[in-house]
């Protein structure tokens, strides 16, 4: 399926305006409300503090995941470095097997697919999240894919076509940069995070 790259870029721009940009304003609004919230009025079913904190995490994670996604998608042609291929082979057997697993998760997730670096043991694992509030603590995202329908429905006829396009547009140098940073953090905090 050949798609005009200009249309893809325009769609990414619209996506960026709609999600992280709008949600950044919501984060400011929630922070302002949290300053004034009544901390004496608390209840695990409903209270303003609970709701504000819950939606704060939702908006914050959405902004962070979208920013990571927009950073790791770009022009086709980027290839993973031999060092990165070695790391992926070490955990998945081959780059093709990693791609197969990542693609399968992209087909069944309702929101996000993430290749993550686990700070507890230094492993890299594929995760998915049905919404912005799901995820595993102490995991640094290396590669993020947005599979919400807003990410592809107006451009691609199927999710499969979108995933195929994404795989060609991964900016592998960004993944390598994140992996290097994650490994440096891992070395420093290893005695603490277990
Ligand atoms: Fe999105």
């Amino acid at each position: 399926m050949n798609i005009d790259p200009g249309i893809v870029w325009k769609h990414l721009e619209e996506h960026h305006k709609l999600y992280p940009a709008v949600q950044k304003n919501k984060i400011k609004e929630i922070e302002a409300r949290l300053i004034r919230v009544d901390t004496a009025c608390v209840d695990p079913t409903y209270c303003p503090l609970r709701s504000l904190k819950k939606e704060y995490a939702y908006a914050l994670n959405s902004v962070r995941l979208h920013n990571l996604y927009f950073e790791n998608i770009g022009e086709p042609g980027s290839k993973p470095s031999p060092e990165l291929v070695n790391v992926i082979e070490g955990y998945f057997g081959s780059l093709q097997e990693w791609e197969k697993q990542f693609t399968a998760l992209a087909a069944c997730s309702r929101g996000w697919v993430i290749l993550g670096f686990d700070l507890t043991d230094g492993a890299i694992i594929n995760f998915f999240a049905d919404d912005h509030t799901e995820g595993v603590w102490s995991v640094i995202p290396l590669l993020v894919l947005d599979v919400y329908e807003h990410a592809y429905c107006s451009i691609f006829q199927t999710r499969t076509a979108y995933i195929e396009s994404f795989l060609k547009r991964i900016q592998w140098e960004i993944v390598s940069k994140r992996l290097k940073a994650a490994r440096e953090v891992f070395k420093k905090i290893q005695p603490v995070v277990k």
Side-chain angles (χ1 to χ4, degrees), residues 112-168:
W112 299 99
V113 188
I114 295 128
L115 173 67
F117 182 96
D118 190 339
L119 286 171
T120 63
D121 59 6
I124 61 168
I125 306 169
N126 286 324
F127 296 93
F128 81 85
D130 279 340
D131 76 31
H132 316 312
T133 54
E134 282 185 6
V136 179
W137 294 83
S138 300
V139 168
I140 295 181
L142 303 176
L143 176 69
V144 174
L145 167 59
D146 185 343
V147 289
Y148 279 103
E149 288 173 354
H150 68 243
Y152 65 92
C153 268
S154 62
I155 298 289
F156 296 92
Q157 288 177 355
T158 63
R159 185 186 286 208
T160 303
Y162 166 62
I163 296 165
E164 282 172 9
S165 170
F166 173 80
L167 290 170
K168 288 179 194 153

Side-chain angles (χ1 to χ4, degrees), residues 67-68 71-72 81 83-84 140-142 171-185:
N67 285 343
L68 291 161
E71 191 188 30
N72 64 216
S81 67
E83 187 192 356
L84 183 55
I140 295 181
L142 303 176
Q171 301 302 288
W172 286 105
E173 64 282 3
I174 297 294
V175 180
S176 288
K177 184 187 82 173
R178 292 174 185 164
L179 176 63
K180 184 169 178 269
R183 284 181 148 173
E184 282 168 11
V185 173

